[in-house]
Amino acid sequence: MTLIKELNSQDEFVGFYLLKELEVKQTNGTPPKDYFDIVLCDSSGQMPAKYWDVTGTDKETFFPMGLVKVQGTVLTYRERLQIKISRIRKTEPDDGVNITDFIRSAPIRPIDLVYTIKQAMESIGDPEIKTIVAFCIAKVEEKLMHYPAAKTHHHAYFAGLAYHMVRMLELGEFICKQRPFLNPDLLLAGIILHDIAKPEEMIAQLGIVSDYSVRGKLMGHISMA
């Protein structure tokens, strides 16, 4: 199977991919015609794609987070690679593919990441700060096991939020050793809490954000936290 990261301009390919995003749009012609504006992804990355001349059956067949087999060509549009899909179908059991094969994930097991975060919480000496952090972690602990840190900008993959927090905790520990006048309780709490409302801001499945929640759109994760 051809991985997304291996695709280059003018490549013709066939492969299995996840429909990370799919939106029905219309061309500017007269009369306008429906087409799919798509983002295809696999464990190596993602790439925008277009599927032209969409039929009514197509609109009832293909949806975001579905696995598909695609035949297409890679083109360069506005200095960016983009796939022109010539054929597409839903995967079948005989294809032998699983959705978990097509998602990026943190390089450390989610259970270990959450354990590290909770250990950092336990190391906080100030009882009031520790109580606040523990309360917030408890509210999102289940989602920390799989939520991304963002839709596209950083750590946008399975358990990306927990991985982001753990890597920042490593930096915080280092900074505290270099600058002993800092308050480690405040630093650890700030790291753990700075993105703690991301799971309430975003709607995600298997580490992929499909949309932002109403509260997320209106308030944002910082105000929500």
Side-chain angles (χ1 to χ4, degrees), residues 38 57 74 84 93 108 121 123 137 148 171 188 191 208 211 217:
I38 291 170
T57 301
V74 182
K84 179 183 178 182
I108 300 173
M121 175 199 73
S123 72
I137 289 178
L171 293 174
L188 292 177
I191 290 171
I208 296 174
D211 200 355
K217 292 175 181 178

Side-chain angles (χ1 to χ4, degrees), residues 11-29:
D11 283 352
E12 297 181 1
F13 68 95
V14 176
F16 295 99
Y17 305 98
L18 179 69
L19 291 172
K20 181 178 180 181
E21 299 177 22
L22 185 150
E23 185 177 357
V24 180
K25 294 185 177 180
Q26 291 188 323
T27 64
N28 295 323

Side-chain angles (χ1 to χ4, degrees), residues 4 7 13 17 38 40 46-52 70-75 81-86:
I4 293 285
L7 293 174
F13 68 95
Y17 305 98
I38 291 170
L40 293 176
Q46 65 183 43
M47 190 177 295
K50 297 288 190 293
Y51 183 54
W52 306 101
V70 167
Q71 178 180 343
T73 305
V74 182
L75 306 174
L81 295 180
Q82 177 178 279
I83 294 169
K84 179 183 178 182
I85 298 174
S86 53

Side-chain angles (χ1 to χ4, degrees), residues 67-186:
L67 288 178
V68 291
K69 185 176 184 180
V70 167
Q71 178 180 343
T73 305
V74 182
L75 306 174
T76 301
Y77 178 70
R78 294 182 178 176
E79 301 182 355
R80 294 182 60 195
L81 295 180
Q82 177 178 279
I83 294 169
K84 179 183 178 182
I85 298 174
S86 53
R87 297 178 67 188
I88 183 172
R89 70 163 172 81
K90 295 177 68 174
T91 57
E92 301 169 352
D94 291 343
D95 292 326
V97 296
N98 191 298
I99 194 168
T100 55
D101 299 329
F102 294 83
I103 58 173
R104 291 181 62 202
S105 61
I108 300 173
R109 294 190 311 164
I111 192 170
D112 295 330
L113 293 170
V114 174
Y115 175 80
T116 300
I117 293 168
K118 294 175 77 172
Q119 286 295 104
M121 175 199 73
E122 291 294 339
S123 72
I124 295 174
D126 186 290
E128 289 189 75
I129 295 175
K130 184 176 182 179
T131 298
I132 292 170
V133 173
F135 174 81
C136 293
I137 289 178
K139 290 194 69 172
V140 299
E141 182 175 349
E142 183 179 346
K143 290 184 176 181
L144 279 177
M145 296 291 289
H146 61 90
Y147 249 70
K151 184 175 183 180
T152 55
H153 294 303
H154 71 92
H155 303 84
Y157 45 75
F158 191 87
L161 176 57
Y163 183 66
H164 169 53
M165 292 165 67
V166 167
R167 296 310 304 270
M168 286 195 67
L169 286 169
E170 292 174 355
L171 293 174
E173 182 181 1
F174 174 80
I175 290 172
C176 284
K177 291 179 180 178
Q178 302 300 313
R179 302 290 187 269
F181 57 85
L182 294 176
N183 184 325
D185 288 349
L186 289 176

Side-chain angles (χ1 to χ4, degrees), residues 199-215:
E200 303 302 320
E201 178 186 50
M202 304 181 296
I203 302 169
Q205 180 182 0
L206 292 172
I208 296 174
V209 177
S210 59
D211 200 355
Y212 289 87
S213 66
V214 174
R215 290 185 69 217

